[in-house]
Amino acid sequence: MRLVLRRSAAALSVAALFLLPTAAVAQVGHLPSQSPYEDFKIGQTVSGMGGWLAVQRDLADVAPKASWLAGLRYDIGVGGPASLFVRYLAAPSERNLLAPTNTRATRVIGTPSTTTHIVDAGLDIALTGRKTWRRLMPSVNGGVGLAADFAKADTGAYRFGSKFAFNYGASLRYIARNGMQLRIDATNFVWQYQYPDRYFVRAADTTAILTDTRNREVWRGNWSLTGGVSIPVFR
């Protein structure tokens, strides 16, 4: 699934990059009535979306597992091809509960449910400017936010907690004539894992969850692929 997400993200990015130079060329030599480009005002929209979050396996294999996600997004144009967005996503999943003092064979003592909540804000830049190409509008975006599970430390002293996260990605929107939009977003959310001291203590079989203390804090990227519907508001 992670490979599919990465290929989808790459495809969106490549499509966006190819549409940009095509935009400059295709507008030359077309009558306005025959041009594939149409003016579009980037206003305000509210979007509902759902998809898949491919959480990358962390070094201790204690992070939430890959899962479905759903969320809401609000966009507002701020001039030219730019718009600001705020977004909330929730991904219900499960994770491994580890007992650091147990031997390797008995170290996983459960798989409790957990939900990853992501709140972020950022900037979206339409690559075709304030126009659509055959009613399509590709864009690139980036932002910052928080990821949290609101859970206390477990019996192994591990806690996902609230993490600073930054993201980047690409989007492709289809703009219907009534203003409603269909959108696909590929986004990489990047956050840091921090492991407790207990994860570096050797058990009776001389193994430990982690052995290199340089890995006490590690960054991981987590790709998501979502689809959704955007409705114009305050027009």
Side-chain angles (χ1 to χ4, degrees):
M1 187 65 190
R2 186 174 295 114
L3 179 60
V4 173
L5 288 174
R6 287 177 177 172
R7 288 179 176 176
S8 299
L12 276 176
S13 300
V14 170
L17 290 174
F18 273 103
L19 280 173
L20 182 60
T22 303
V25 175
Q27 293 185 81
V28 179
H30 284 88
L31 294 174
S33 60
Q34 298 176 341
S35 174
Y37 291 87
E38 298 182 43
D39 292 331
F40 177 75
K41 179 182 178 181
I42 301 176
Q44 302 179 60
T45 59
V46 173
S47 307
M49 60 189 67
W52 185 258
L53 178 63
V55 180
Q56 185 177 354
R57 182 184 182 278
D58 68 298
L59 295 178
D61 197 19
V62 73
K65 300 181 185 298
S67 70
W68 296 101
L69 81 165
L72 293 171
R73 172 172 168 150
Y74 170 72
D75 291 76
I76 179 170
V78 292
S83 59
L84 296 175
F85 70 86
V86 292
R87 174 172 50 190
Y88 166 73
L89 298 168
S93 183
E94 61 182 23
R95 52 171 288 261
N96 289 331
L97 176 60
L98 306 182
T101 57
N102 286 12
T103 61
R104 186 193 300 273
T106 61
R107 190 163 288 149
V108 178
I109 58 175
T111 53
S113 298
T114 184
T115 299
T116 303
H117 302 267
I118 302 171
V119 179
D120 64 351
L123 183 67
D124 187 281
I125 304 294
L127 297 180
T128 49
R130 293 190 294 177
K131 292 180 180 292
T132 63
W133 178 80
R134 300 192 185 280
R135 312 211 65 81
L136 295 175
M137 178 174 280
S139 63
V140 293
N141 49 72
V144 296
L146 292 174
D149 67 353
F150 302 111
K152 297 180 180 179
D154 61 25
T155 56
Y158 175 78
R159 182 171 179 262
F160 183 89
S162 298
K163 304 178 181 299
F164 166 80
F166 65 89
N167 66 75
Y168 59 89
S171 304
L172 183 63
R173 286 172 283 174
Y174 174 79
I175 316 295
R177 296 200 177 277
N178 62 2
M180 186 173 291
Q181 305 173 19
L182 300 178
R183 64 180 303 135
I184 298 175
D185 294 88
T187 308
N188 191 19
F189 296 97
V190 183
W191 57 64
Q192 186 183 56
Y193 292 99
Q194 298 170 313
Y195 302 112
D197 292 339
R198 294 185 192 179
Y199 276 32
F200 298 87
V201 176
R202 295 187 182 276
D205 62 350
T206 72
T207 66
I209 297 175
L210 298 172
T211 57
D212 190 342
T213 55
R214 290 175 298 179
N215 293 327
R216 191 177 300 275
E217 298 179 348
V218 293
W219 290 88
R220 285 291 184 269
N222 308 277
W223 278 101
S224 72
L225 182 65
T226 60
V229 177
S230 302
I231 300 173
V233 292
F234 307 119
R235 289 191 294 181

